[in-house]
Amino acid sequence: MANRKIFVAGHRGMVGGGITRQLELRKAAGEDIEIITRTRAELDLTNQADVRAFMQSERPDVVILAAAKVGGIHANNTYPADFIYENLVIETNVIHQAFEAGVMRLLQLGSSCIYPRDAAQPMAESALLTGELEPTNEPYAIAKIAGIKLCESYNRQHGTDYRSVMPTNLYGPGDNFHPDNSHVLPALIRRFHEAARASIDVVTIWGSGRPRREFLHVDDMAQASLYVLELPKGEYNQNIQPMLSHINVGSGTDVSILELAQLVAHATGFEGRIETDPSKPDGTMRKLMDVSRLASMGWRASITLEEGIRSTYQWFLTNQHNIRAK
């Protein structure tokens, strides 16, 4: 990507921040790239006119669309209109205005929730649109599916090279640790940290603890994103189905929620009991990505879950006051 202007939309988010850090490391190592970023105050991605003016003025060579409205089950259930509207508008504005500005290479980030609730495990890219979605996050999932289809459609009609990566559950520096609106792993880190500091004897987790989930550190995701982005067009296309522009990114392994809680308890120093509450919903019993396609292209995750939880907890400790202030 030498001599290129790269616009990272959503650089203050967890994934966008990870990608920006990777690009900054490459630039420091001598790559001739210009990293373009804008805060939400500087550029409202839901405003079509503003996005158009920005793209026409900056004329980036590459666009990485990591901006999105994201949240856990509670947030998705409470604000479904916000999730489908904001994500659809961001995708349509950024992708179309990138095309209008002559951008031929674009990477957009989606989510594993695009796959049907009852998809065969592990979930392959071909499972898209083969069944009903998980009801709790259907609006968000539909918006992310639309993003994939936008990329596919521009590729088909205009010969662009727009790609989509579908990550599994992500975690790491920059995550959302809000007690109500965060995903399971950062929520557990915060709960077990507070329990350990308050010498609480029991922490109760939602559900039976039996559902299994896959997790990927954001630094691995950032490296995978740039790896996919940089694959030569011919090499990329021969590894995907015709007219299919998305590819799974994950660790390829999963753990039960109870096992995850035990790992978090160990990392945070919590020594009490962990109990489950089967009266609360479990959600989908298993969500594991089939990452064989990306592995065949030459990329695999390198950060273990234990190592990632430890480093994420250290980041939380360093930044917890700012996190709570938000």
Side-chain angles (χ1 to χ4, degrees):
M1 292 188 291
N3 301 306
R4 290 202 174 182
K5 297 173 68 174
I6 305 172
F7 171 47
V8 182
H11 75 287
R12 283 190 167 180
M14 178 173 64
V15 183
I19 291 172
T20 302
R21 287 194 301 274
Q22 291 295 321
L23 289 172
E24 288 171 343
L25 288 172
R26 294 181 178 201
K27 185 174 181 178
E31 285 196 31
D32 187 11
I33 56 176
E34 178 183 351
I35 307 166
I36 305 169
T37 60
R38 293 291 187 275
T39 65
R40 182 177 299 181
E42 294 170 331
L43 176 62
D44 180 2
L45 296 178
T46 66
N47 186 302
Q48 184 183 57
D50 289 353
V51 176
R52 178 177 177 80
F54 166 79
M55 291 290 187
Q56 293 294 327
S57 173
E58 290 294 335
R59 296 279 173 168
D61 299 297
V62 176
V63 170
I64 300 174
L65 177 49
K69 181 176 180 62
V70 298
I73 292 176
H74 175 79
N76 274 274
N77 269 331
T78 307
Y79 312 108
D82 293 352
F83 276 89
I84 192 167
Y85 170 77
E86 290 188 31
N87 284 297
L88 282 172
V89 172
I90 288 171
E91 290 164 358
T92 53
N93 284 346
V94 173
I95 293 171
H96 181 69
Q97 296 307 330
F99 168 73
E100 289 288 305
V103 176
M104 295 300 290
R105 180 69 65 94
L106 177 147
L107 183 77
Q108 74 126 358
L109 283 81
S111 167
S112 61
C113 71
I114 64 166
Y115 294 118
R117 175 189 174 100
D118 298 321
Q121 301 292 319
M123 299 178 292
E125 288 89 347
S126 58
L128 184 66
L129 298 177
T130 60
E132 295 183 2
L133 299 167
E134 164 60 42
T136 56
N137 59 11
E138 183 185 69
Y140 174 76
I142 287 175
K144 303 314 289 183
I145 292 170
I148 294 173
K149 292 304 177 181
L150 274 169
C151 289
E152 289 180 16
S153 298
Y154 278 78
N155 291 345
R156 290 172 59 187
Q157 184 171 339
H158 300 295
T160 52
D161 188 5
Y162 293 174
R163 306 172 181 184
S164 301
V165 284
M166 298 298 116
T168 187
N169 300 296
L170 300 174
Y171 71 98
D175 209 340
N176 173 18
F177 292 85
H178 190 280
D180 295 323
N181 295 334
S182 59
H183 290 107
V184 60
L185 205 160
L188 287 175
I189 288 177
R190 182 163 183 166
R191 288 188 61 201
F192 279 101
H193 165 78
E194 292 175 347
R197 295 302 176 271
S199 299
I200 294 174
D201 294 330
V202 179
V203 169
T204 302
I205 60 175
W206 271 35
S208 67
R210 294 185 293 107
R212 301 186 68 82
R213 294 292 183 269
E214 177 186 17
F215 296 92
L216 183 72
H217 193 279
V218 66
D219 288 347
D220 269 340
M221 180 61 203
Q223 292 182 17
S225 297
L226 296 179
Y227 186 89
V228 170
L229 179 66
E230 294 171 334
L231 285 169
K233 188 173 183 179
E235 182 179 344
Y236 179 81
N237 288 340
Q238 73 183 9
N239 282 282
I240 63 173
Q241 296 178 5
M243 302 306 179
L244 191 64
S245 64
H246 76 283
I247 187 164
N248 292 342
V249 183
S251 63
T253 59
D254 59 3
V255 295
S256 72
I257 297 300
L258 180 56
E259 290 169 333
L260 179 68
Q262 291 166 343
L263 290 172
V264 172
H266 179 73
T268 57
F270 175 76
E271 297 179 347
R273 298 195 321 277
I274 301 173
E275 295 184 352
T276 59
D277 182 0
S279 69
K280 296 295 192 297
D282 273 333
T284 305
M285 289 307 294
R286 193 182 191 200
K287 285 186 68 176
L288 178 64
M289 303 283 269
D290 180 348
V291 294
S292 59
R293 184 164 291 158
L294 185 54
S296 72
M297 295 178 177
W299 189 89
R300 293 182 183 273
S302 62
I303 301 173
T304 67
L305 184 55
E306 293 84 353
E307 174 189 354
I309 290 174
R310 285 196 301 270
S311 64
T312 300
Y313 181 53
Q314 291 306 309
W315 184 90
F316 171 82
L317 291 176
T318 303
N319 295 276
Q320 61 181 305
H321 298 295
N322 292 331
I323 293 169
R324 287 179 175 145
K326 294 178 183 178

